[in-house]
Structure formats: structure tokens, C-alpha cells
Amino acid sequence: MTYSRIIGTGGYLPEKVLTNADLEKLVDTNEAWIYSRTGIRERRIAADDEFTCDLAERAALNAIEAAGILNNEIDLIVVATTTADQVFPSTACLLQHRLGIEGPPAFDVQAVCAGFLFAIDVADKFIQTGSARCALVVGAETFSRIIDWSDRRTCVLFGDGAGAVVLKVDNEPGILSTHLHCDGKYKDLLYVPVGVSRNFDRIKTGTAFTTMQGGEVFRWAVTAMSDIVDETLDANGMSRDDIDWLVPHQANIRIINAVGKRARIPAEKVVVTVDRHGNTSAASVPLALDEAVRDGRIQSGQHVLIEGFGGGFTWGSAMIRM
Ligand code: UT7
């Protein structure tokens, strides 16, 4: 059998830190509300001249270095992003050029905060079917660009960043399974009502903002991300005790804790970065994965369940043997 295996992880956060105290100066909010309702203390914000591809490149270079490969060994690039630098070319094409790679496929996928799971799934299938041998998979966002900084219901939640993994072909798994879901009937609960084809004038006036029914999204995120733990375990004939680490999407500590409780996974096994990163959308899972690999918590041979949930709704998971 042919499998894909993670051989390197990387992450990058922009330098600028935006604290809850900073937000108190922008909107009618306070540290106590933000921390108690979300678990977020601070988030990073890209510089004015820093774009999603810049973040993706830094995370990709970290992952490539950790993997110990040459750039030209990469024969597939998949970038998960909702905040592409340009309408086209894709961020993946821009990144490919930055890395000095010519020829192999490079494309973006868009599933908002679940995007990295979709990107991993696609790259894993390319490798399993022999269409690629070494894939760079990136989640990168400048979500701060689609936030209304006068809306306290959303602006306290999000941040910018990028995470990446290098996947390589192997005889041993690797990625044990991937699970993806969408349900477009929830399109009006979490969305940006603007695109190239619709309401484009709002892009020109800089008012293309994220809109959210927070309470509804919260409930669905908990249900979807805890149910998919069972789906993932069942697919692999594993029990919850077999999970060494859960790396969930980092939107809100209350969502993460509720998922852990409902899925009966002890808090000590759950990787949390939301306190320092906020919600970085497609970047949140690979950033959290990278942090726990680099600080030595996640060890080779361990089983890691990664999962995401986002607008659409979209949700997904992967069971990984590191
Ligand atoms: O990646 C997926 C994307 N999004 C998410 O996962 C977010 C999911 N939702 C959530 O995380 C939570 O629903 C929020 C953090 C957004 C909100 O928490 P909540 O406990 O659901 O609060 P709420 O919306 O019920 O608001 C409670 C009160 C309201 O005041 P009233 O109407 O009770 O007087 C809000 O106006 O808190 C008020 N409020 C704030 N107060 C201070 C809302 N935002 C703020 C704020 N600071 N930033």
C-alpha cells in the first residue's frame, strides 16, 4: 500500500500582537469579557505590506527545513485560504514561484476554517494514487482583512497566521483516514456576503466583512467537531484511548472544552493555541500541530486527530500516525 506521512511541520505568525487591552480602545469591550467568553488573550495581525502568500512562504520554509528536503522535491502544493492575495493566480501558484519550483500542480482550496482538512485530504489522495510523491500543504490567512474592526461581536475573535506540513510517500501510514463534510443550508450563519461576482463594490470600498450568528455557530461547531471524533475512530477501528493528541480548530476555548467533554477526551490531550493566536481560520490547525511538534508534546509514532469547522458549514478531520 502507498500512504502519505508528515515529515515536517512549520508555522509563522506576524510580528504585530493585538491584545485585548488594545481592542478596548477600538470597540466597547473589555479583557474580562473576551477572555471569559473566548479564552483569547491576544492575536497576531499582518503588517499593511504583508499578505497571505508572505505568511504561507514563511510557514512553508519552516516545514521544508524540518522535513530536510529540497524545494524541488515538492511535486504538489495545496494552499487552504479564504484570504488569497489576488483573485488569480492562486496563492499556491504565487507560493510555488517564491519557492523556485516549476511545473507541478499548485492550487488553492477554500473551506474557511476547515480548509486545512480539505487540503490534507486532497494531498493525501494525490500521494495514495501515485500522482504526487511529496506535497506541501499550507493553511494561511490574513483574516484581519475581512473583519469589521468596529464590530465587537467578531473583531475580538480572529487573527492572522500560517501553518504548513510536508507530506511524503511511504509504505507505512501516515495519514490513516480523512473525513470531510459540508452543509450549505447553513450559509447564512457565517459568511462574507461579497465576492468577485457579487457585491464587488464592497471590496472596492473596503467593507467586505465577516458576519456571524455566534451562538448558532458555537452550537454547530461543538456538535460537528465532537461527532466527527466518533466517525474518525470508527473508520479506523480505534477507541478514544488510542488518541494521543486532539488538535481541534482554534476558535474559542469554550468550543474546544465542550468538544473534549462531549467526545470524552481529557483536556491534557488537547492542544490549545487560541489564547495566543485567536482564530486564524485555515491556519489554526497546522499552527497548533506545529507548536505541539516543536515543543516535543507530539512524538513520532503517536496518533493525532486533527479537526476543523468553518463557514458553509464545512467540517473535517484526519487521523494521523506521526
Ligand atoms: O471558526 C468558526 C468561526 N466562529 C466561531 O467559532 C465563533 C462561535 N461563537 C462564539 O465563539 C461565541 O458565540 C461568541 C464568542 C462569538 C459570543 O459568545 P456568546 O457567549 O455566544 O455571547 P453572546 O453572543 O450571547 O453575547 C452575550 C452578550 C451580548 O449582550 P446582550 O445582548 O446580552 O446585552 C453581546 O452584545 O455579550 C455582548 N458582546 C460583547 N460584550 C463585550 C458580544 N461581543 C462582545 C464583546 N465585548 N466583544
Side-chain angles (χ1 to χ4, degrees):
M1 280 286 283
T2 304
Y3 298 98
S4 71
R5 176 177 280 280
I6 294 178
I7 60 162
T9 67
Y12 175 72
L13 291 163
E15 267 178 38
K16 185 183 171 190
V17 176
L18 187 72
T19 64
N20 293 346
D22 296 328
L23 283 163
E24 287 179 7
K25 295 173 201 144
L26 289 180
V27 288
D28 179 16
T29 190
N30 57 77
E31 153 74 19
W33 191 97
I34 300 172
Y35 188 65
S36 65
R37 306 300 264 195
T38 70
I40 301 169
R41 292 255 190 232
E42 61 186 41
R43 66 291 289 145
R44 300 297 183 97
I45 304 294
D48 289 346
D49 61 351
E50 199 173 31
F51 305 106
T52 295
C53 191
D54 300 316
L55 276 49
E57 182 183 5
R58 300 286 288 266
L61 290 172
N62 282 342
I64 290 166
E65 190 184 7
I69 58 159
L70 298 171
N71 292 10
N72 64 15
E73 289 178 58
I74 293 167
D75 57 5
L76 172 69
I77 299 177
V78 188
V79 176
T81 188
T82 310
T83 48
D85 287 32
Q86 301 172 204
V87 174
F88 67 85
S90 68
T91 309
C93 272
L94 302 178
L95 177 62
Q96 187 198 48
H97 179 61
R98 300 260 189 108
L99 297 175
I101 302 167
E102 290 174 19
F107 53 88
D108 292 358
V109 299
Q110 209 280 62
V112 210
C113 302
F116 185 73
L117 282 305
F118 283 66
I120 278 276
D121 175 275
V122 171
D124 177 52
K125 289 187 166 83
F126 263 73
I127 290 179
Q128 278 188 47
T129 56
S131 300
R133 295 184 60 78
C134 186
L136 174 65
V137 185
V138 184
E141 301 278 16
T142 45
F143 224 79
S144 61
R145 305 268 153 79
I146 51 169
I147 294 299
D148 178 354
W149 289 97
S150 65
D151 177 7
R152 69 176 185 173
R153 292 166 303 169
T154 50
C155 76
V156 302
L157 302 174
F158 294 94
D160 299 333
V165 300
V166 176
L167 285 181
K168 199 161 183 196
V169 68
D170 206 308
N171 298 326
E172 302 280 329
I175 308 286
L176 294 166
S177 69
T178 52
H179 309 268
L180 301 182
H181 298 281
C182 296
D183 194 338
K185 74 168 168 286
Y186 300 109
K187 64 184 173 50
D188 297 327
L189 295 181
L190 177 56
Y191 59 98
V192 177
V194 175
V196 176
S197 176
R198 185 180 180 191
N199 297 335
F200 188 64
D201 54 317
R202 289 181 59 178
I203 292 187
K204 289 189 246 163
T205 55
T207 55
F209 297 139
T210 300
T211 306
M212 182 174 66
Q213 304 291 327
E216 288 286 301
V217 176
F218 189 111
R219 277 188 285 284
W220 275 104
V222 171
T223 304
M225 285 204 290
S226 46
D227 286 355
I228 209 167
V229 169
D230 285 328
E231 179 185 337
T232 310
L233 289 172
D234 289 349
N236 291 287
M238 293 167 74
S239 80
R240 45 205 8 93
D241 293 340
D242 296 324
I243 300 175
D244 293 299
W245 296 100
L246 176 69
V247 182
H249 173 48
Q250 309 283 319
N252 183 325
I253 194 65
R254 290 162 53 222
I255 295 177
I256 294 170
N257 289 343
V259 168
K261 199 169 167 199
R262 204 161 172 264
R264 285 178 283 127
I265 298 176
E268 314 84 75
K269 290 187 172 185
V270 181
V271 177
V272 174
T273 55
V274 71
D275 52 326
R276 288 154 291 125
H277 299 181
N279 181 347
T280 57
S281 188
S284 95
V285 170
L287 268 170
L289 181 71
D290 180 56
E291 180 172 291
V293 166
R294 280 175 193 267
D295 69 21
R297 273 178 290 172
I298 294 180
Q299 298 280 327
S300 179
Q302 288 187 326
H303 288 114
V304 180
L305 197 161
I306 62 173
E307 57 173 358
F309 177 87
F313 289 142
T314 54
W315 64 106
S317 69
M319 179 63 83
I320 302 168
R321 186 181 300 150
M322 296 297 290

Short mmCIF file of all heavy atoms in Angstrom, two decimals, residues 69-78 96 101-107 123 126-127 130-136 166-169:
data_model
loop_
_atom_site.label_atom_id
_atom_site.label_comp_id
_atom_site.label_asym_id
_atom_site.label_seq_id
_atom_site.Cartn_x
_atom_site.Cartn_y
_atom_site.Cartn_z
N ILE A 69 14.13 18.42 3.23
CA ILE A 69 14.05 18.16 1.79
C ILE A 69 14.49 19.40 1.01
O ILE A 69 14.62 20.49 1.59
CB ILE A 69 12.62 17.79 1.35
CG1 ILE A 69 11.63 18.92 1.71
CG2 ILE A 69 12.18 16.46 1.96
CD1 ILE A 69 10.36 18.88 0.91
N LEU A 70 14.71 19.22 -0.27
CA LEU A 70 14.98 20.35 -1.16
C LEU A 70 13.65 20.82 -1.74
O LEU A 70 12.75 20.00 -1.98
CB LEU A 70 15.91 19.92 -2.29
CG LEU A 70 17.29 19.43 -1.85
CD1 LEU A 70 18.04 18.82 -3.04
CD2 LEU A 70 18.08 20.59 -1.24
N ASN A 71 13.55 22.14 -1.99
CA ASN A 71 12.30 22.67 -2.55
C ASN A 71 11.85 21.90 -3.79
O ASN A 71 10.67 21.65 -3.99
CB ASN A 71 12.47 24.15 -2.92
CG ASN A 71 12.65 25.02 -1.69
OD1 ASN A 71 12.84 24.52 -0.60
ND2 ASN A 71 12.60 26.33 -1.89
N ASN A 72 12.84 21.54 -4.63
CA ASN A 72 12.45 20.93 -5.91
C ASN A 72 12.01 19.46 -5.79
O ASN A 72 11.65 18.84 -6.77
CB ASN A 72 13.53 21.11 -6.98
CG ASN A 72 14.81 20.39 -6.61
OD1 ASN A 72 14.81 19.54 -5.71
ND2 ASN A 72 15.90 20.72 -7.30
N GLU A 73 12.03 18.93 -4.56
CA GLU A 73 11.43 17.60 -4.36
C GLU A 73 9.91 17.69 -4.26
O GLU A 73 9.20 16.69 -4.39
CB GLU A 73 11.97 16.96 -3.07
CG GLU A 73 13.42 16.52 -3.16
CD GLU A 73 13.90 15.93 -1.83
OE1 GLU A 73 13.29 14.96 -1.36
OE2 GLU A 73 14.87 16.47 -1.27
N ILE A 74 9.39 18.91 -4.02
CA ILE A 74 7.94 19.09 -3.87
C ILE A 74 7.26 19.00 -5.24
O ILE A 74 7.62 19.74 -6.16
CB ILE A 74 7.65 20.46 -3.20
CG1 ILE A 74 8.17 20.44 -1.76
CG2 ILE A 74 6.16 20.78 -3.22
CD1 ILE A 74 8.22 21.79 -1.10
N ASP A 75 6.31 18.07 -5.37
CA ASP A 75 5.63 17.94 -6.66
C ASP A 75 4.13 18.19 -6.55
O ASP A 75 3.35 17.81 -7.45
CB ASP A 75 5.93 16.58 -7.31
CG ASP A 75 5.57 15.40 -6.43
OD1 ASP A 75 4.99 15.62 -5.35
OD2 ASP A 75 5.85 14.26 -6.84
N LEU A 76 3.71 18.84 -5.46
CA LEU A 76 2.31 19.27 -5.31
C LEU A 76 2.27 20.33 -4.22
O LEU A 76 2.88 20.15 -3.15
CB LEU A 76 1.42 18.09 -4.90
CG LEU A 76 -0.02 18.44 -4.51
CD1 LEU A 76 -0.82 18.89 -5.74
CD2 LEU A 76 -0.73 17.25 -3.85
N ILE A 77 1.55 21.43 -4.47
CA ILE A 77 1.32 22.43 -3.42
C ILE A 77 -0.18 22.69 -3.33
O ILE A 77 -0.84 22.99 -4.34
CB ILE A 77 2.05 23.76 -3.72
CG1 ILE A 77 3.57 23.54 -3.79
CG2 ILE A 77 1.72 24.81 -2.66
CD1 ILE A 77 4.38 24.77 -4.15
N VAL A 78 -0.72 22.53 -2.12
CA VAL A 78 -2.13 22.86 -1.88
C VAL A 78 -2.16 23.89 -0.76
O VAL A 78 -1.62 23.65 0.32
CB VAL A 78 -2.95 21.61 -1.48
CG1 VAL A 78 -4.44 21.97 -1.42
CG2 VAL A 78 -2.72 20.46 -2.44
N GLN A 96 4.46 28.76 -5.10
CA GLN A 96 5.32 27.86 -5.89
C GLN A 96 6.47 28.65 -6.52
O GLN A 96 7.64 28.25 -6.46
CB GLN A 96 4.47 27.18 -6.98
CG GLN A 96 5.21 26.11 -7.75
CD GLN A 96 4.51 25.79 -9.05
OE1 GLN A 96 4.15 26.67 -9.81
NE2 GLN A 96 4.32 24.49 -9.29
N ILE A 101 10.00 26.61 -7.62
CA ILE A 101 9.56 25.32 -8.16
C ILE A 101 8.81 25.59 -9.47
O ILE A 101 8.00 26.52 -9.54
CB ILE A 101 8.63 24.60 -7.16
CG1 ILE A 101 9.33 24.40 -5.82
CG2 ILE A 101 8.13 23.27 -7.73
CD1 ILE A 101 8.41 23.99 -4.67
N GLU A 102 9.09 24.79 -10.48
CA GLU A 102 8.42 25.00 -11.78
C GLU A 102 7.76 23.71 -12.24
O GLU A 102 8.41 22.67 -12.25
CB GLU A 102 9.44 25.41 -12.84
CG GLU A 102 9.98 26.80 -12.65
CD GLU A 102 11.10 27.10 -13.66
OE1 GLU A 102 11.21 26.41 -14.68
OE2 GLU A 102 11.88 28.03 -13.37
N GLY A 103 6.50 23.78 -12.59
CA GLY A 103 5.86 22.65 -13.27
C GLY A 103 4.78 21.88 -12.55
O GLY A 103 3.68 21.72 -13.10
N PRO A 104 5.02 21.38 -11.34
CA PRO A 104 3.99 20.53 -10.73
C PRO A 104 2.74 21.32 -10.32
O PRO A 104 2.80 22.54 -10.18
CB PRO A 104 4.69 19.94 -9.50
CG PRO A 104 5.78 20.88 -9.18
CD PRO A 104 6.22 21.47 -10.48
N PRO A 105 1.62 20.62 -10.10
CA PRO A 105 0.38 21.32 -9.78
C PRO A 105 0.44 22.07 -8.45
O PRO A 105 1.05 21.59 -7.49
CB PRO A 105 -0.68 20.20 -9.72
CG PRO A 105 0.08 18.94 -9.59
CD PRO A 105 1.43 19.17 -10.21
N ALA A 106 -0.20 23.24 -8.45
CA ALA A 106 -0.30 24.06 -7.24
C ALA A 106 -1.66 24.75 -7.30
O ALA A 106 -1.98 25.38 -8.31
CB ALA A 106 0.82 25.09 -7.18
N PHE A 107 -2.46 24.59 -6.27
CA PHE A 107 -3.81 25.21 -6.30
C PHE A 107 -4.30 25.47 -4.88
O PHE A 107 -3.80 24.89 -3.92
CB PHE A 107 -4.80 24.32 -7.06
CG PHE A 107 -4.87 22.90 -6.58
CD1 PHE A 107 -5.73 22.54 -5.56
CD2 PHE A 107 -4.07 21.92 -7.15
CE1 PHE A 107 -5.79 21.23 -5.11
CE2 PHE A 107 -4.12 20.60 -6.71
CZ PHE A 107 -4.99 20.26 -5.68
N ALA A 123 -4.28 16.30 -0.81
CA ALA A 123 -2.86 15.95 -0.98
C ALA A 123 -2.63 14.48 -0.67
O ALA A 123 -1.87 13.79 -1.37
CB ALA A 123 -2.00 16.83 -0.07
N PHE A 126 -3.71 12.50 -3.67
CA PHE A 126 -2.71 12.60 -4.74
C PHE A 126 -1.58 11.60 -4.49
O PHE A 126 -1.13 10.90 -5.40
CB PHE A 126 -2.10 14.01 -4.80
CG PHE A 126 -2.72 14.92 -5.82
CD1 PHE A 126 -3.98 15.47 -5.63
CD2 PHE A 126 -2.03 15.27 -6.99
CE1 PHE A 126 -4.54 16.33 -6.56
CE2 PHE A 126 -2.58 16.13 -7.92
CZ PHE A 126 -3.83 16.65 -7.71
N ILE A 127 -1.13 11.53 -3.24
CA ILE A 127 0.01 10.66 -2.92
C ILE A 127 -0.42 9.19 -2.95
O ILE A 127 0.27 8.34 -3.54
CB ILE A 127 0.63 11.07 -1.56
CG1 ILE A 127 1.34 12.41 -1.73
CG2 ILE A 127 1.61 10.00 -1.06
CD1 ILE A 127 1.98 12.97 -0.48
N GLY A 130 -0.54 7.85 -6.41
CA GLY A 130 0.70 7.90 -7.19
C GLY A 130 0.84 9.15 -8.04
O GLY A 130 1.77 9.25 -8.84
N SER A 131 -0.05 10.13 -7.84
CA SER A 131 0.03 11.36 -8.64
C SER A 131 1.04 12.35 -8.08
O SER A 131 1.39 13.33 -8.74
CB SER A 131 -1.34 12.04 -8.72
OG SER A 131 -2.26 11.17 -9.30
N ALA A 132 1.44 12.16 -6.84
CA ALA A 132 2.47 13.02 -6.24
C ALA A 132 3.26 12.17 -5.25
O ALA A 132 2.76 11.15 -4.74
CB ALA A 132 1.84 14.21 -5.53
N ARG A 133 4.49 12.62 -4.97
CA ARG A 133 5.33 11.89 -4.00
C ARG A 133 5.68 12.75 -2.78
O ARG A 133 6.00 12.23 -1.73
CB ARG A 133 6.65 11.44 -4.68
CG ARG A 133 6.44 10.43 -5.79
CD ARG A 133 7.76 9.94 -6.37
NE ARG A 133 8.59 9.29 -5.37
CZ ARG A 133 8.41 8.04 -4.94
NH1 ARG A 133 7.42 7.31 -5.43
NH2 ARG A 133 9.21 7.53 -4.03
N CYS A 134 5.60 14.06 -2.97
CA CYS A 134 6.00 14.96 -1.87
C CYS A 134 5.16 16.25 -1.97
O CYS A 134 5.35 17.04 -2.90
CB CYS A 134 7.49 15.27 -1.98
SG CYS A 134 8.11 16.22 -0.59
N ALA A 135 4.24 16.41 -1.03
CA ALA A 135 3.29 17.53 -1.12
C ALA A 135 3.54 18.54 -0.01
O ALA A 135 3.80 18.15 1.14
CB ALA A 135 1.86 17.01 -1.02
N LEU A 136 3.44 19.81 -0.38
CA LEU A 136 3.46 20.89 0.61
C LEU A 136 2.01 21.33 0.81
O LEU A 136 1.33 21.70 -0.16
CB LEU A 136 4.30 22.06 0.07
CG LEU A 136 4.31 23.34 0.90
CD1 LEU A 136 4.97 23.12 2.26
CD2 LEU A 136 5.03 24.45 0.13
N VAL A 166 4.78 19.08 5.34
CA VAL A 166 5.27 18.38 4.15
C VAL A 166 4.83 16.93 4.29
O VAL A 166 5.08 16.29 5.32
CB VAL A 166 6.80 18.46 4.01
CG1 VAL A 166 7.27 17.62 2.82
CG2 VAL A 166 7.25 19.90 3.86
N LEU A 167 4.14 16.44 3.26
CA LEU A 167 3.68 15.05 3.23
C LEU A 167 4.52 14.30 2.22
O LEU A 167 4.71 14.77 1.09
CB LEU A 167 2.22 14.96 2.73
CG LEU A 167 1.07 15.36 3.64
CD1 LEU A 167 -0.25 15.15 2.90
CD2 LEU A 167 1.08 14.54 4.92
N LYS A 168 5.01 13.11 2.60
CA LYS A 168 5.82 12.33 1.66
C LYS A 168 5.28 10.92 1.54
O LYS A 168 4.71 10.37 2.50
CB LYS A 168 7.28 12.29 2.15
CG LYS A 168 8.22 11.91 1.05
CD LYS A 168 9.65 12.29 1.33
CE LYS A 168 10.49 11.93 0.12
NZ LYS A 168 11.90 11.91 0.40
N VAL A 169 5.45 10.34 0.37
CA VAL A 169 5.01 8.96 0.13
C VAL A 169 5.78 8.01 1.05
O VAL A 169 6.96 8.20 1.32
CB VAL A 169 5.18 8.59 -1.36
CG1 VAL A 169 6.65 8.51 -1.75
CG2 VAL A 169 4.45 7.32 -1.70
#
